Amino acid sequence: MAIALLAPDRDLCGLVKALNAIDPELDLRQWPDLGDLSQIQFAVCWHPPKGILAQLPALKAATSLGAGADALLSDPTLPKKLNIGRLSGPQLSADMSRWLVARVFAHWYQLDRFADQQRDRAWQPWAPSRAPHVGILGMGVLGRHVARAFQALDITVSGWNRSGTGPVDVHMYRGQEELLGLAGQVDYLICLLPLTAETRHILNHQLFAAMRPDAVLINVGRGQHLVEADLIEALNQQQLALAILDVFDREPLPADHPFWTHPSVVVSPHCAALSQDQEVAELILESYQRVKAGQTPLGLVNRQSGY
Ligand code: NDP
Ligand code: OXD
């Protein structure tokens, strides 16, 4: 039984090394050198070439290399009954929480101002008079971890998801109307949704019109959640104060994209939480063992809801 690694845009050297260190007997086939396709029973994918999974006759299951499975699911030739999993471990959740806590507090405490003051040898003590209110869209594996991280710092957290249920002490919202209600209350609105037919373009002019003029949007979900032109218009109209964007419709973000230079946009290159080789290697092998034993892959995705 062979495992196909289908991630054309990624350097997989570290991952292959970590997998071989755990199990030197593994039969790993890395795109495009897949050998005899009929021997491949498990596939690990990150933006896999469209149509490839349908060409693997013995494939039992596939997994996304990361937490989001949207790129895998977007292949129209994906076999209808194929079980799809995703990989998300404690380190990924912790990294996402740390990154978001760092972003929110660097902004709330205006840490940049002290660098300016130091340059000018100015002694001007300042601190915000209250704590921020954080709203999280998506209260799944990552959203719940992030909520707990902020709560541990005595921050009020509100959340939004489909079911309306969330962690203790998180005021939960659901549905489109309640989404706008939440957007109007928070200082930071964090998008941690999966990309599905329902969530595509959810960060749009209607949402921005509901936000407070001093509020900050943080998108760490997917670029396709955002209507980019709506955001630029809303920032220019001062409907919100700032957008911190880690994910984009086109990645890498094209060099001539207006986000690079917009004074109210902060860009980072899709690295709020990077899948780390050792954690992912362990998760791949756990998922593979489950599939070999006739079980579903780790993080089984509901093909109907898309997450
Ligand atoms: P989960 O699948 O665990 O959670 C998804 C959450 O979104 C659930 O709370 C779900 O609601 C909610 N949701 C889904 N659809 C809707 C909808 N239509 N309306 C309201 N809520 C909805 O996902 P994860 O937490 O593991 O990951 C979230 C995303 O984070 C990934 O899909 C990926 O895109 C992104 N990501 C980004 C990274 C980065 O570095 N920027 C790194 C890793 C992930 P309910 O609870 O009711 O089911
Ligand atoms: C993921 C990501 O989905 O890194 O894991 O975006």
Side-chain angles (χ1 to χ4, degrees), residues 46 66-70 86 88 92-93 96 137-144 160-165 172-175 191-199 202 219-222 225 246-247 270-275 305 307:
W46 188 256
D70 47 290
R86 57 197 196 95
S88 178
L92 189 80
S93 297
M96 180 60 84
L137 309 182
M139 206 37 84
V141 176
L142 296 177
R144 283 171 185 262
W160 185 78
N161 63 1
R162 282 213 309 179
S163 59
T165 58
M172 291 300 300
Y173 295 75
R174 59 187 292 212
C191 175
L192 253 174
L193 289 163
L195 180 65
T196 68
E198 281 183 26
T199 64
I202 199 159
N219 188 17
V220 284
R222 284 290 181 261
H225 285 132
D246 184 58
V247 287
H270 197 149
C271 55
L274 288 176
S275 296
S305 62
Y307 70 97

Side-chain angles (χ1 to χ4, degrees), residues 3-5 10-13 16 28-34:
I3 302 178
L5 302 176
R10 268 167 90 146
D11 175 2
L12 296 179
C13 290
V16 168
L28 298 175
R29 312 273 179 87
Q30 195 173 332
W31 171 266
D33 303 318
L34 298 182

Side-chain angles (χ1 to χ4, degrees), residues 133 160 173 175-186 207 210:
H133 181 178
W160 185 78
Y173 295 75
Q176 185 63 20
E177 277 174 31
E178 293 189 12
L179 170 64
L180 300 185
L182 168 68
Q185 290 191 32
V186 297
L207 183 83

